[in-house]
Amino acid sequence: MPLRAHIAELRRRVLLAFAGIAVGAVVGWFLYTPVYEFLQQPVLDLAERDDALVTVNFGGLASALDMQLKVSLVLGAILTAPWWLYHLWAFVAPGLKDREKRYTFAFLAAAVPLFFGGVVFAAFILPQAVDILVGFTPDGAANVLDAQMYLTFSVRMLLAFGIAFVFPVVMVALTWIGLVGARTWLRGWRWAMIIIALAAAVLTPTPDGVMMVLMALPMVLLYFLAVGIAALRQAAVRRRLRRAGAEADA
C-alpha cells in the first residue's frame, strides 16, 4: 500500500474511532452521576474514618458542567474500547498476509478483557491511592480537594491502567505474526524497564512516585508474561516445522 493510501487509511480509522468514542460519551453523560458517586466514595470513607475535613470541592460556577463533559468523554473512551481497539488492529491488518489477518479475533479476545481488567485494577487500588496521598496532610489541617483535579486524576487513572494492560497483547501479536522474536523482547528487557518507567510517568495523572510504582509493577509483570507466551508460541512453531520436515523426509 503506498504512503498516501496509508495516511488516508489512518485518517479514516481515527475518524471512525473518535466517532465511536463520541457515541460512548453520550452514554457516559448519563452514567456520570453513579460514576461520580463511586469515585467520591474513597474520599467520604476517609473523612468518616479519620473524622477529618476531606471533601471534593467545585470551585467555579461552571466547574461541575465542565467536569461532567470531561468525565463523560473519558467514560466514552473506556466504554468503546472494543471499537477503537478493533480499528487499531484494522489499520495494521492491510499489511498482513491473509493467514495473519485471521488473528483479529484473537487480538480482540485478549486485548479487550485486559483493557477492562486494567480499569478494574485501577478502580480497586484507587481507595488505597487516595488514602496514601491524603495521608500526608499534616494533623489539624483540612484537605479540600479540587473537583477538577480529583476527578481528572481518577478517570485518567482508570483509562491509563486500561491502556497499559493492553501493551503485552501488542507484544504477543508482533511475535505471533513473526515481526519480533521472543529472544529480542527478552534481550531488550533493560530498555523495556526504562520505557515502562517513562510510560508510567507519562500515563499517571499525578507526578508522585506512589502512582508510578503502582502502574509500573503490573506492567513489568505483564511484560515478562508476554515474553513467556511469545517464547511458547515460537517453540510450538519450531516443533511443528521439525515435525513437518521429518514427515517430508520420511
Side-chain angles (χ1 to χ4, degrees):
M1 184 182 295
L3 178 60
R4 181 175 298 180
H6 269 295
I7 295 175
E9 176 69 7
L10 176 62
R11 182 172 62 249
R12 188 174 76 88
R13 294 295 178 184
V14 169
L15 289 175
L16 288 171
F18 275 106
I21 292 174
V23 174
V26 175
V27 179
W29 176 274
F30 294 101
L31 295 176
Y32 173 76
T33 299
V35 170
Y36 170 74
E37 292 174 353
F38 170 77
L39 296 176
Q40 188 190 28
Q41 195 59 45
V43 177
L44 299 179
D45 292 341
L46 191 62
E48 182 179 0
R49 188 195 70 188
D50 297 340
D51 193 21
L53 178 57
V54 184
T55 185
V56 177
N57 177 60
F58 289 92
L61 184 63
S63 296
L65 175 61
D66 180 56
M67 200 65 250
Q68 185 165 350
L69 290 170
K70 291 180 179 178
V71 172
S72 299
L73 184 60
V74 178
L75 288 177
I78 293 174
L79 293 172
T80 60
W83 173 257
W84 52 261
L85 283 170
Y86 164 74
H87 284 288
L88 171 66
W89 180 264
F91 173 68
V92 179
L96 304 179
K97 300 175 183 178
D98 291 337
R99 179 178 58 84
E100 295 166 344
K101 291 180 182 179
R102 293 180 298 179
Y103 296 147
T104 299
F105 178 76
F107 172 79
L108 291 176
V112 172
L114 271 177
F115 177 86
F116 287 113
V119 172
V120 171
F121 179 76
F124 174 74
I125 66 172
L126 177 63
Q128 286 77 16
V130 172
D131 192 0
I132 292 172
L133 297 176
V134 175
F136 289 100
T137 305
D139 294 336
N143 201 324
V144 180
L145 303 176
D146 179 70
Q148 293 271 7
M149 181 278 297
Y150 177 72
L151 292 177
T152 301
F153 160 79
S154 301
V155 294
R156 279 187 58 189
M157 178 177 169
L158 299 178
L159 183 60
F161 270 81
I163 294 173
F165 275 44
V166 171
F167 179 70
V169 182
V170 177
M171 291 174 53
V172 174
L174 292 176
T175 301
W176 214 269
I177 63 179
L179 292 180
V180 184
R183 289 186 179 180
T184 303
W185 291 121
L186 189 58
R187 283 199 301 266
W189 72 269
R190 294 179 181 83
W191 284 104
M193 298 304 101
I194 295 173
I195 293 172
I196 287 173
L198 292 174
V202 172
L203 291 174
T204 45
T206 56
D208 57 89
V210 175
M211 291 306 303
M212 288 176 59
V213 172
L214 287 175
M215 175 170 284
L217 282 178
M219 289 177 68
V220 170
L221 294 175
L222 288 171
Y223 175 84
F224 285 107
L225 176 62
V227 171
I229 294 174
L232 291 174
R233 160 67 178 175
Q234 287 192 319
V237 171
R238 284 195 295 268
R239 285 196 300 269
R240 188 169 64 246
L241 292 176
R242 283 198 298 267
R243 188 161 51 246
E247 291 176 354
D249 292 340

mmCIF file of all heavy atoms in Angstrom, residues 56-100:
data_model
loop_
_atom_site.group_PDB
_atom_site.id
_atom_site.type_symbol
_atom_site.label_atom_id
_atom_site.label_comp_id
_atom_site.label_asym_id
_atom_site.label_seq_id
_atom_site.Cartn_x
_atom_site.Cartn_y
_atom_site.Cartn_z
ATOM 1 N N VAL A 56 -14.539 16.920 48.342
ATOM 2 C CA VAL A 56 -14.337 17.332 46.952
ATOM 3 C C VAL A 56 -15.095 18.632 46.735
ATOM 4 O O VAL A 56 -16.289 18.732 47.054
ATOM 5 C CB VAL A 56 -14.840 16.250 45.972
ATOM 6 C CG1 VAL A 56 -14.699 16.713 44.536
ATOM 7 C CG2 VAL A 56 -14.068 14.957 46.183
ATOM 8 N N ASN A 57 -14.407 19.627 46.191
ATOM 9 C CA ASN A 57 -14.984 20.959 46.084
ATOM 10 C C ASN A 57 -14.974 21.443 44.633
ATOM 11 O O ASN A 57 -13.955 21.331 43.941
ATOM 12 C CB ASN A 57 -14.171 21.940 46.946
ATOM 13 C CG ASN A 57 -14.672 23.364 46.815
ATOM 14 O OD1 ASN A 57 -15.819 23.650 47.123
ATOM 15 N ND2 ASN A 57 -13.808 24.248 46.336
ATOM 16 N N PHE A 58 -16.127 21.940 44.170
ATOM 17 C CA PHE A 58 -16.218 22.577 42.856
ATOM 18 C C PHE A 58 -16.036 24.078 43.070
ATOM 19 O O PHE A 58 -16.895 24.752 43.643
ATOM 20 C CB PHE A 58 -17.583 22.295 42.208
ATOM 21 C CG PHE A 58 -17.749 20.867 41.760
ATOM 22 C CD1 PHE A 58 -18.318 19.925 42.601
ATOM 23 C CD2 PHE A 58 -17.322 20.472 40.508
ATOM 24 C CE1 PHE A 58 -18.458 18.612 42.204
ATOM 25 C CE2 PHE A 58 -17.458 19.152 40.087
ATOM 26 C CZ PHE A 58 -18.034 18.219 40.941
ATOM 27 N N GLY A 59 -14.908 24.586 42.587
ATOM 28 C CA GLY A 59 -14.526 25.961 42.888
ATOM 29 C C GLY A 59 -15.150 27.023 42.014
ATOM 30 O O GLY A 59 -15.185 28.196 42.392
ATOM 31 N N GLY A 60 -15.651 26.674 40.831
ATOM 32 C CA GLY A 60 -16.183 27.682 39.922
ATOM 33 C C GLY A 60 -17.632 27.431 39.579
ATOM 34 O O GLY A 60 -18.176 26.341 39.817
ATOM 35 N N LEU A 61 -18.280 28.447 38.997
ATOM 36 C CA LEU A 61 -19.688 28.347 38.665
ATOM 37 C C LEU A 61 -19.943 27.261 37.626
ATOM 38 O O LEU A 61 -20.921 26.523 37.706
ATOM 39 C CB LEU A 61 -20.201 29.705 38.154
ATOM 40 C CG LEU A 61 -21.692 29.805 37.847
ATOM 41 C CD1 LEU A 61 -22.509 29.581 39.111
ATOM 42 C CD2 LEU A 61 -22.019 31.153 37.220
ATOM 43 N N ALA A 62 -19.055 27.166 36.638
ATOM 44 C CA ALA A 62 -19.242 26.199 35.547
ATOM 45 C C ALA A 62 -18.375 24.959 35.717
ATOM 46 O O ALA A 62 -18.287 24.137 34.798
ATOM 47 C CB ALA A 62 -18.940 26.863 34.203
ATOM 48 N N SER A 63 -17.732 24.824 36.874
ATOM 49 C CA SER A 63 -16.807 23.699 37.074
ATOM 50 C C SER A 63 -17.516 22.355 36.991
ATOM 51 O O SER A 63 -16.993 21.391 36.425
ATOM 52 C CB SER A 63 -16.109 23.821 38.429
ATOM 53 O OG SER A 63 -15.294 24.972 38.466
ATOM 54 N N ALA A 64 -18.717 22.267 37.554
ATOM 55 C CA ALA A 64 -19.446 20.994 37.562
ATOM 56 C C ALA A 64 -19.801 20.554 36.145
ATOM 57 O O ALA A 64 -19.650 19.382 35.779
ATOM 58 C CB ALA A 64 -20.706 21.117 38.411
ATOM 59 N N LEU A 65 -20.264 21.511 35.319
ATOM 60 C CA LEU A 65 -20.602 21.186 33.930
ATOM 61 C C LEU A 65 -19.357 20.800 33.140
ATOM 62 O O LEU A 65 -19.360 19.812 32.394
ATOM 63 C CB LEU A 65 -21.296 22.377 33.267
ATOM 64 C CG LEU A 65 -21.600 22.231 31.771
ATOM 65 C CD1 LEU A 65 -22.528 21.049 31.519
ATOM 66 C CD2 LEU A 65 -22.188 23.522 31.216
ATOM 67 N N ASP A 66 -18.294 21.574 33.305
ATOM 68 C CA ASP A 66 -17.047 21.286 32.592
ATOM 69 C C ASP A 66 -16.518 19.909 32.973
ATOM 70 O O ASP A 66 -16.068 19.142 32.126
ATOM 71 C CB ASP A 66 -16.022 22.372 32.919
ATOM 72 C CG ASP A 66 -14.698 22.143 32.205
ATOM 73 O OD1 ASP A 66 -14.703 22.032 30.960
ATOM 74 O OD2 ASP A 66 -13.656 22.050 32.882
ATOM 75 N N MET A 67 -16.621 19.577 34.261
ATOM 76 C CA MET A 67 -16.114 18.294 34.716
ATOM 77 C C MET A 67 -16.968 17.151 34.193
ATOM 78 O O MET A 67 -16.449 16.091 33.831
ATOM 79 C CB MET A 67 -16.092 18.263 36.250
ATOM 80 C CG MET A 67 -15.158 17.203 36.816
ATOM 81 S SD MET A 67 -13.439 17.549 36.404
ATOM 82 C CE MET A 67 -13.078 16.244 35.235
ATOM 83 N N GLN A 68 -18.277 17.359 34.121
ATOM 84 C CA GLN A 68 -19.148 16.304 33.611
ATOM 85 C C GLN A 68 -18.847 16.021 32.141
ATOM 86 O O GLN A 68 -18.871 14.861 31.704
ATOM 87 C CB GLN A 68 -20.618 16.683 33.773
ATOM 88 C CG GLN A 68 -21.576 15.555 33.375
ATOM 89 C CD GLN A 68 -22.987 15.779 33.859
ATOM 90 O OE1 GLN A 68 -23.240 16.689 34.653
ATOM 91 N NE2 GLN A 68 -23.917 14.960 33.402
ATOM 92 N N LEU A 69 -18.543 17.054 31.378
ATOM 93 C CA LEU A 69 -18.177 16.864 29.972
ATOM 94 C C LEU A 69 -16.884 16.060 29.849
ATOM 95 O O LEU A 69 -16.788 15.133 29.036
ATOM 96 C CB LEU A 69 -18.029 18.217 29.281
ATOM 97 C CG LEU A 69 -19.321 19.015 29.045
ATOM 98 C CD1 LEU A 69 -18.988 20.425 28.577
ATOM 99 C CD2 LEU A 69 -20.191 18.310 28.009
ATOM 100 N N LYS A 70 -15.888 16.402 30.653
ATOM 101 C CA LYS A 70 -14.596 15.716 30.577
ATOM 102 C C LYS A 70 -14.721 14.250 31.010
ATOM 103 O O LYS A 70 -14.177 13.353 30.356
ATOM 104 C CB LYS A 70 -13.566 16.433 31.448
ATOM 105 C CG LYS A 70 -13.154 17.798 30.930
ATOM 106 C CD LYS A 70 -12.136 18.451 31.846
ATOM 107 C CE LYS A 70 -11.710 19.806 31.314
ATOM 108 N NZ LYS A 70 -10.751 20.492 32.219
ATOM 109 N N VAL A 71 -15.426 14.034 32.115
ATOM 110 C CA VAL A 71 -15.584 12.666 32.603
ATOM 111 C C VAL A 71 -16.382 11.834 31.602
ATOM 112 O O VAL A 71 -16.071 10.660 31.356
ATOM 113 C CB VAL A 71 -16.264 12.664 33.985
ATOM 114 C CG1 VAL A 71 -16.624 11.245 34.417
ATOM 115 C CG2 VAL A 71 -15.348 13.298 35.025
ATOM 116 N N SER A 72 -17.400 12.423 30.989
ATOM 117 C CA SER A 72 -18.206 11.700 30.000
ATOM 118 C C SER A 72 -17.349 11.286 28.808
ATOM 119 O O SER A 72 -17.512 10.183 28.267
ATOM 120 C CB SER A 72 -19.372 12.577 29.531
ATOM 121 O OG SER A 72 -20.222 12.910 30.597
ATOM 122 N N LEU A 73 -16.430 12.150 28.401
ATOM 123 C CA LEU A 73 -15.556 11.825 27.268
ATOM 124 C C LEU A 73 -14.634 10.656 27.608
ATOM 125 O O LEU A 73 -14.462 9.736 26.788
ATOM 126 C CB LEU A 73 -14.734 13.055 26.876
ATOM 127 C CG LEU A 73 -13.841 12.911 25.645
ATOM 128 C CD1 LEU A 73 -14.682 12.586 24.408
ATOM 129 C CD2 LEU A 73 -13.033 14.177 25.410
ATOM 130 N N VAL A 74 -14.054 10.668 28.801
ATOM 131 C CA VAL A 74 -13.182 9.564 29.205
ATOM 132 C C VAL A 74 -13.985 8.278 29.356
ATOM 133 O O VAL A 74 -13.541 7.197 28.957
ATOM 134 C CB VAL A 74 -12.446 9.906 30.511
ATOM 135 C CG1 VAL A 74 -11.587 8.730 30.960
ATOM 136 C CG2 VAL A 74 -11.571 11.135 30.327
ATOM 137 N N LEU A 75 -15.186 8.384 29.911
ATOM 138 C CA LEU A 75 -16.041 7.203 30.012
ATOM 139 C C LEU A 75 -16.375 6.667 28.626
ATOM 140 O O LEU A 75 -16.459 5.443 28.425
ATOM 141 C CB LEU A 75 -17.339 7.556 30.757
ATOM 142 C CG LEU A 75 -17.224 7.794 32.266
ATOM 143 C CD1 LEU A 75 -18.568 8.213 32.836
ATOM 144 C CD2 LEU A 75 -16.704 6.555 32.974
ATOM 145 N N GLY A 76 -16.570 7.576 27.658
ATOM 146 C CA GLY A 76 -16.816 7.134 26.283
ATOM 147 C C GLY A 76 -15.653 6.341 25.730
ATOM 148 O O GLY A 76 -15.843 5.323 25.048
ATOM 149 N N ALA A 77 -14.417 6.785 26.030
ATOM 150 C CA ALA A 77 -13.237 6.047 25.571
ATOM 151 C C ALA A 77 -13.148 4.678 26.234
ATOM 152 O O ALA A 77 -12.741 3.692 25.604
ATOM 153 C CB ALA A 77 -11.977 6.859 25.858
ATOM 154 N N ILE A 78 -13.532 4.592 27.511
ATOM 155 C CA ILE A 78 -13.482 3.311 28.219
ATOM 156 C C ILE A 78 -14.557 2.359 27.699
ATOM 157 O O ILE A 78 -14.299 1.187 27.418
ATOM 158 C CB ILE A 78 -13.633 3.529 29.733
ATOM 159 C CG1 ILE A 78 -12.410 4.275 30.287
ATOM 160 C CG2 ILE A 78 -13.809 2.203 30.465
ATOM 161 C CD1 ILE A 78 -12.530 4.671 31.746
ATOM 162 N N LEU A 79 -15.774 2.875 27.549
ATOM 163 C CA LEU A 79 -16.892 2.030 27.131
ATOM 164 C C LEU A 79 -16.723 1.494 25.712
ATOM 165 O O LEU A 79 -17.164 0.386 25.402
ATOM 166 C CB LEU A 79 -18.201 2.810 27.238
ATOM 167 C CG LEU A 79 -18.659 3.194 28.656
ATOM 168 C CD1 LEU A 79 -19.860 4.131 28.599
ATOM 169 C CD2 LEU A 79 -18.994 1.946 29.464
ATOM 170 N N THR A 80 -16.101 2.296 24.847
ATOM 171 C CA THR A 80 -15.959 1.899 23.438
ATOM 172 C C THR A 80 -14.594 1.307 23.143
ATOM 173 O O THR A 80 -14.172 1.279 21.988
ATOM 174 C CB THR A 80 -16.221 3.103 22.513
ATOM 175 O OG1 THR A 80 -15.270 4.146 22.812
ATOM 176 C CG2 THR A 80 -17.628 3.640 22.691
ATOM 177 N N ALA A 81 -13.892 0.816 24.164
ATOM 178 C CA ALA A 81 -12.562 0.231 23.955
ATOM 179 C C ALA A 81 -12.560 -0.869 22.892
ATOM 180 O O ALA A 81 -11.650 -0.903 22.052
ATOM 181 C CB ALA A 81 -12.004 -0.292 25.270
ATOM 182 N N PRO A 82 -13.537 -1.784 22.867
ATOM 183 C CA PRO A 82 -13.515 -2.803 21.802
ATOM 184 C C PRO A 82 -13.558 -2.189 20.399
ATOM 185 O O PRO A 82 -12.928 -2.722 19.477
ATOM 186 C CB PRO A 82 -14.786 -3.630 22.079
ATOM 187 C CG PRO A 82 -15.053 -3.427 23.536
ATOM 188 C CD PRO A 82 -14.629 -2.023 23.826
ATOM 189 N N TRP A 83 -14.274 -1.082 20.255
ATOM 190 C CA TRP A 83 -14.406 -0.428 18.945
ATOM 191 C C TRP A 83 -13.080 0.145 18.473
ATOM 192 O O TRP A 83 -12.613 -0.147 17.376
ATOM 193 C CB TRP A 83 -15.481 0.649 19.024
ATOM 194 C CG TRP A 83 -15.619 1.514 17.801
ATOM 195 C CD1 TRP A 83 -15.167 2.787 17.642
ATOM 196 C CD2 TRP A 83 -16.259 1.178 16.566
ATOM 197 N NE1 TRP A 83 -15.480 3.269 16.403
ATOM 198 C CE2 TRP A 83 -16.150 2.309 15.720
ATOM 199 C CE3 TRP A 83 -16.918 0.038 16.107
ATOM 200 C CZ2 TRP A 83 -16.676 2.314 14.426
ATOM 201 C CZ3 TRP A 83 -17.438 0.051 14.815
ATOM 202 C CH2 TRP A 83 -17.310 1.169 13.996
ATOM 203 N N TRP A 84 -12.417 0.979 19.322
ATOM 204 C CA TRP A 84 -11.185 1.605 18.844
ATOM 205 C C TRP A 84 -9.989 0.639 18.874
ATOM 206 O O TRP A 84 -9.038 0.827 18.111
ATOM 207 C CB TRP A 84 -10.877 2.905 19.580
ATOM 208 C CG TRP A 84 -10.846 2.907 21.067
ATOM 209 C CD1 TRP A 84 -11.835 3.308 21.919
ATOM 210 C CD2 TRP A 84 -9.741 2.548 21.909
ATOM 211 N NE1 TRP A 84 -11.433 3.195 23.233
ATOM 212 C CE2 TRP A 84 -10.146 2.744 23.252
ATOM 213 C CE3 TRP A 84 -8.441 2.089 21.656
ATOM 214 C CZ2 TRP A 84 -9.308 2.484 24.334
ATOM 215 C CZ3 TRP A 84 -7.598 1.826 22.731
ATOM 216 C CH2 TRP A 84 -8.041 2.022 24.045
ATOM 217 N N LEU A 85 -10.057 -0.402 19.702
ATOM 218 C CA LEU A 85 -9.008 -1.425 19.625
ATOM 219 C C LEU A 85 -9.107 -2.195 18.308
ATOM 220 O O LEU A 85 -8.086 -2.547 17.704
ATOM 221 C CB LEU A 85 -9.120 -2.385 20.809
ATOM 222 C CG LEU A 85 -8.597 -1.883 22.158
ATOM 223 C CD1 LEU A 85 -8.983 -2.835 23.282
ATOM 224 C CD2 LEU A 85 -7.087 -1.670 22.110
ATOM 225 N N TYR A 86 -10.341 -2.446 17.874
ATOM 226 C CA TYR A 86 -10.526 -3.102 16.576
ATOM 227 C C TYR A 86 -9.943 -2.255 15.454
ATOM 228 O O TYR A 86 -9.251 -2.773 14.562
ATOM 229 C CB TYR A 86 -12.003 -3.367 16.315
ATOM 230 C CG TYR A 86 -12.284 -3.682 14.853
ATOM 231 C CD1 TYR A 86 -11.934 -4.917 14.314
ATOM 232 C CD2 TYR A 86 -12.835 -2.722 14.005
ATOM 233 C CE1 TYR A 86 -12.144 -5.192 12.968
ATOM 234 C CE2 TYR A 86 -13.048 -2.995 12.662
ATOM 235 C CZ TYR A 86 -12.712 -4.223 12.151
ATOM 236 O OH TYR A 86 -12.900 -4.490 10.813
ATOM 237 N N HIS A 87 -10.187 -0.949 15.450
ATOM 238 C CA HIS A 87 -9.685 -0.092 14.388
ATOM 239 C C HIS A 87 -8.165 0.070 14.470
ATOM 240 O O HIS A 87 -7.510 0.282 13.439
ATOM 241 C CB HIS A 87 -10.383 1.268 14.429
ATOM 242 C CG HIS A 87 -11.781 1.218 13.893
ATOM 243 N ND1 HIS A 87 -12.046 1.074 12.543
ATOM 244 C CD2 HIS A 87 -12.983 1.263 14.505
ATOM 245 C CE1 HIS A 87 -13.352 1.043 12.354
ATOM 246 N NE2 HIS A 87 -13.947 1.146 13.528
ATOM 247 N N LEU A 88 -7.613 -0.047 15.675
ATOM 248 C CA LEU A 88 -6.151 -0.063 15.798
ATOM 249 C C LEU A 88 -5.576 -1.269 15.063
ATOM 250 O O LEU A 88 -4.611 -1.151 14.296
ATOM 251 C CB LEU A 88 -5.762 -0.108 17.277
ATOM 252 C CG LEU A 88 -4.278 -0.344 17.593
ATOM 253 C CD1 LEU A 88 -3.454 0.831 17.112
ATOM 254 C CD2 LEU A 88 -4.070 -0.569 19.085
ATOM 255 N N TRP A 89 -6.172 -2.441 15.278
ATOM 256 C CA TRP A 89 -5.716 -3.645 14.590
ATOM 257 C C TRP A 89 -6.031 -3.584 13.098
ATOM 258 O O TRP A 89 -5.224 -3.999 12.265
ATOM 259 C CB TRP A 89 -6.352 -4.877 15.214
ATOM 260 C CG TRP A 89 -5.941 -6.151 14.555
ATOM 261 C CD1 TRP A 89 -6.606 -6.822 13.584
ATOM 262 C CD2 TRP A 89 -4.736 -6.885 14.786
ATOM 263 N NE1 TRP A 89 -5.905 -7.936 13.195
ATOM 264 C CE2 TRP A 89 -4.744 -8.005 13.916
ATOM 265 C CE3 TRP A 89 -3.651 -6.717 15.646
ATOM 266 C CZ2 TRP A 89 -3.718 -8.935 13.897
ATOM 267 C CZ3 TRP A 89 -2.631 -7.653 15.630
ATOM 268 C CH2 TRP A 89 -2.667 -8.743 14.759
ATOM 269 N N ALA A 90 -7.204 -3.050 12.740
ATOM 270 C CA ALA A 90 -7.609 -2.982 11.338
ATOM 271 C C ALA A 90 -6.675 -2.092 10.525
ATOM 272 O O ALA A 90 -6.506 -2.299 9.323
ATOM 273 C CB ALA A 90 -9.042 -2.470 11.226
ATOM 274 N N PHE A 91 -6.050 -1.106 11.177
ATOM 275 C CA PHE A 91 -5.079 -0.265 10.464
ATOM 276 C C PHE A 91 -3.823 -1.058 10.129
ATOM 277 O O PHE A 91 -3.204 -0.850 9.090
ATOM 278 C CB PHE A 91 -4.722 0.951 11.307
ATOM 279 C CG PHE A 91 -3.612 1.780 10.721
ATOM 280 C CD1 PHE A 91 -3.796 2.493 9.548
ATOM 281 C CD2 PHE A 91 -2.368 1.838 11.343
ATOM 282 C CE1 PHE A 91 -2.778 3.254 9.007
ATOM 283 C CE2 PHE A 91 -1.345 2.586 10.813
ATOM 284 C CZ PHE A 91 -1.547 3.300 9.637
ATOM 285 N N VAL A 92 -3.452 -1.996 11.015
ATOM 286 C CA VAL A 92 -2.260 -2.817 10.779
ATOM 287 C C VAL A 92 -2.563 -3.954 9.806
ATOM 288 O O VAL A 92 -1.703 -4.380 9.034
ATOM 289 C CB VAL A 92 -1.738 -3.382 12.120
ATOM 290 C CG1 VAL A 92 -0.514 -4.260 11.915
ATOM 291 C CG2 VAL A 92 -1.427 -2.246 13.077
ATOM 292 N N ALA A 93 -3.795 -4.447 9.824
ATOM 293 C CA ALA A 93 -4.157 -5.655 9.087
ATOM 294 C C ALA A 93 -3.876 -5.603 7.586
ATOM 295 O O ALA A 93 -3.472 -6.629 7.014
ATOM 296 C CB ALA A 93 -5.636 -5.983 9.324
ATOM 297 N N PRO A 94 -4.059 -4.464 6.877
ATOM 298 C CA PRO A 94 -3.783 -4.475 5.425
ATOM 299 C C PRO A 94 -2.360 -4.879 5.062
ATOM 300 O O PRO A 94 -2.113 -5.376 3.965
ATOM 301 C CB PRO A 94 -4.067 -3.022 5.009
ATOM 302 C CG PRO A 94 -5.068 -2.556 5.985
ATOM 303 C CD PRO A 94 -4.683 -3.203 7.284
ATOM 304 N N GLY A 95 -1.417 -4.712 5.971
ATOM 305 C CA GLY A 95 -0.047 -5.110 5.693
ATOM 306 C C GLY A 95 0.258 -6.554 6.045
ATOM 307 O O GLY A 95 1.391 -7.008 5.869
ATOM 308 N N LEU A 96 -0.743 -7.286 6.522
ATOM 309 C CA LEU A 96 -0.541 -8.673 6.917
ATOM 310 C C LEU A 96 -0.971 -9.621 5.813
ATOM 311 O O LEU A 96 -1.733 -9.259 4.919
ATOM 312 C CB LEU A 96 -1.340 -8.975 8.188
ATOM 313 C CG LEU A 96 -1.061 -8.089 9.408
ATOM 314 C CD1 LEU A 96 -1.947 -8.509 10.557
ATOM 315 C CD2 LEU A 96 0.400 -8.145 9.804
ATOM 316 N N LYS A 97 -0.505 -10.840 5.916
ATOM 317 C CA LYS A 97 -0.938 -11.877 4.992
ATOM 318 C C LYS A 97 -2.353 -12.330 5.366
ATOM 319 O O LYS A 97 -2.824 -12.085 6.465
ATOM 320 C CB LYS A 97 0.029 -13.068 5.040
ATOM 321 C CG LYS A 97 1.462 -12.700 4.674
ATOM 322 C CD LYS A 97 2.385 -13.891 4.860
ATOM 323 C CE LYS A 97 3.839 -13.509 4.562
ATOM 324 N NZ LYS A 97 4.764 -14.645 4.796
ATOM 325 N N ASP A 98 -3.009 -13.018 4.417
ATOM 326 C CA ASP A 98 -4.387 -13.460 4.659
ATOM 327 C C ASP A 98 -4.474 -14.355 5.892
ATOM 328 O O ASP A 98 -5.419 -14.255 6.675
ATOM 329 C CB ASP A 98 -4.927 -14.207 3.432
ATOM 330 C CG ASP A 98 -5.147 -13.275 2.257
ATOM 331 O OD1 ASP A 98 -5.301 -12.058 2.500
ATOM 332 O OD2 ASP A 98 -5.162 -13.755 1.103
ATOM 333 N N ARG A 99 -3.476 -15.222 6.076
ATOM 334 C CA ARG A 99 -3.485 -16.111 7.236
ATOM 335 C C ARG A 99 -3.358 -15.324 8.532
ATOM 336 O O ARG A 99 -3.985 -15.644 9.544
ATOM 337 C CB ARG A 99 -2.334 -17.110 7.119
ATOM 338 C CG ARG A 99 -2.221 -18.074 8.290
ATOM 339 C CD ARG A 99 -1.087 -19.055 8.057
ATOM 340 N NE ARG A 99 0.177 -18.368 7.855
ATOM 341 C CZ ARG A 99 0.953 -17.952 8.863
ATOM 342 N NH1 ARG A 99 0.582 -18.139 10.116
ATOM 343 N NH2 ARG A 99 2.092 -17.337 8.609
ATOM 344 N N GLU A 100 -2.547 -14.235 8.508
ATOM 345 C CA GLU A 100 -2.320 -13.449 9.709
ATOM 346 C C GLU A 100 -3.520 -12.578 10.054
ATOM 347 O O GLU A 100 -3.731 -12.229 11.226
ATOM 348 C CB GLU A 100 -1.064 -12.589 9.532
ATOM 349 C CG GLU A 100 0.208 -13.423 9.411
ATOM 350 C CD GLU A 100 1.386 -12.604 8.898
ATOM 351 O OE1 GLU A 100 1.123 -11.499 8.365
ATOM 352 O OE2 GLU A 100 2.534 -13.052 9.020
#
